């Protein structure tokens, strides 16, 4: 397995792999509303151009075929940079070590650019890789989709709070003031 940066010459293969992965993860993918399909795809042309320049995004290639990709970017936190992983996608038939190799490539690129924190969602199938990289957990990584994607977005929906008061205030704004 070879881990390398990707170029525009890989765009078609990346888009085909992304579509294969989406269809594998959700067999009803093609029947989803167009907005949801677009929201799940990570390989739009603007995204590919962005992540191609990120210095922290890689593909896994095995005998000339793409087996997976990782998209990550450096994000300034006000006092230090971090590398934030957006997507790790693997071909359904990718070897087990592919995820670990891709994450390790991103971790090495972060270190080489003097960035000492890599943040990534701990999705199913990535736990062993996180252990191999000696990662620590600081809680769960959650995503709140807005608009109509809330109804169709992938993932495990968290249940509402069990206490009657709800979530309380956010930054001194009462719940009644939000969206008013």
């Amino acid at each position: 397995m070879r881990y390398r940066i990707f170029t525009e010459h890989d765009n078609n293969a990346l888009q085909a792999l992304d579509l294969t992965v989406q269809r594998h993860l959700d067999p009803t993918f093609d029947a989803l509303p167009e907005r949801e399909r677009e929201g799940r795809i990570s390989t739009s042309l603007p995204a590919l151009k962005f992540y191609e320049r990120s210095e922290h995004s890689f593909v896994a290639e095995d005998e000339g075929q793409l087996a997976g990709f990782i998209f990550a970017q450096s994000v300034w936190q006000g006092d230090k940079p971090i590398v934030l992983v957006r997507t790790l996608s693997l071909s359904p038939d990718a070897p087990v070590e592919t995820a670990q190799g891709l994450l390790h490539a991103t971790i090495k690129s972060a270190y080489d650019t003097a960035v000492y924190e890599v943040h990534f969602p701990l999705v199913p199938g990535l736990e062993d890789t996180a252990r191999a990289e000696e990662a620590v957990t600081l809680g769960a990584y959650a995503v709140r989709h807005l608009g109509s994607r809330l109804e169709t977005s992938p993932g495990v929906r968290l249940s509402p709070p069990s206490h009657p008061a709800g979530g309380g205030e956010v930054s001194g704004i009462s719940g009644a003031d939000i969206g008013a």
Side-chain angles (χ1 to χ4, degrees), residues 49-136:
K49 287 179 182 267
F50 175 80
Y51 286 108
E52 181 183 343
R53 295 185 308 266
S54 77
E55 299 181 11
H56 304 296
S57 299
F58 298 91
V59 295
E61 184 178 49
D62 191 23
E63 298 180 15
Q65 297 293 321
L66 295 188
F69 60 88
I70 189 168
F71 290 165
Q73 64 177 309
S74 184
V75 177
W76 181 247
Q77 298 295 301
D79 60 347
K80 65 183 173 200
I82 65 167
V83 168
L84 178 64
V85 174
R86 177 191 182 247
T87 303
L88 174 71
S89 289
L90 303 173
S91 170
D93 57 350
V96 175
E97 68 274 3
T98 307
Q100 185 173 352
L102 285 166
L103 184 59
H104 186 73
T106 297
I107 289 170
K108 183 179 182 329
S109 74
Y111 185 81
D112 289 348
T113 58
V115 177
Y116 300 111
E117 285 185 34
V118 177
H119 294 228
F120 57 96
L122 195 54
V123 295
L126 201 52
E127 295 90 351
D128 289 340
T129 298
R131 283 185 191 87
E133 290 292 342
E134 299 182 48
V136 298

Side-chain angles (χ1 to χ4, degrees), residues 32-41 146-149 152:
L32 293 170
E34 181 178 352
R35 185 175 182 135
E36 181 60 31
R37 289 191 316 268
E38 289 174 359
R40 292 186 188 191
I41 293 290
L146 305 178
S148 62
R149 285 210 59 219
T152 56

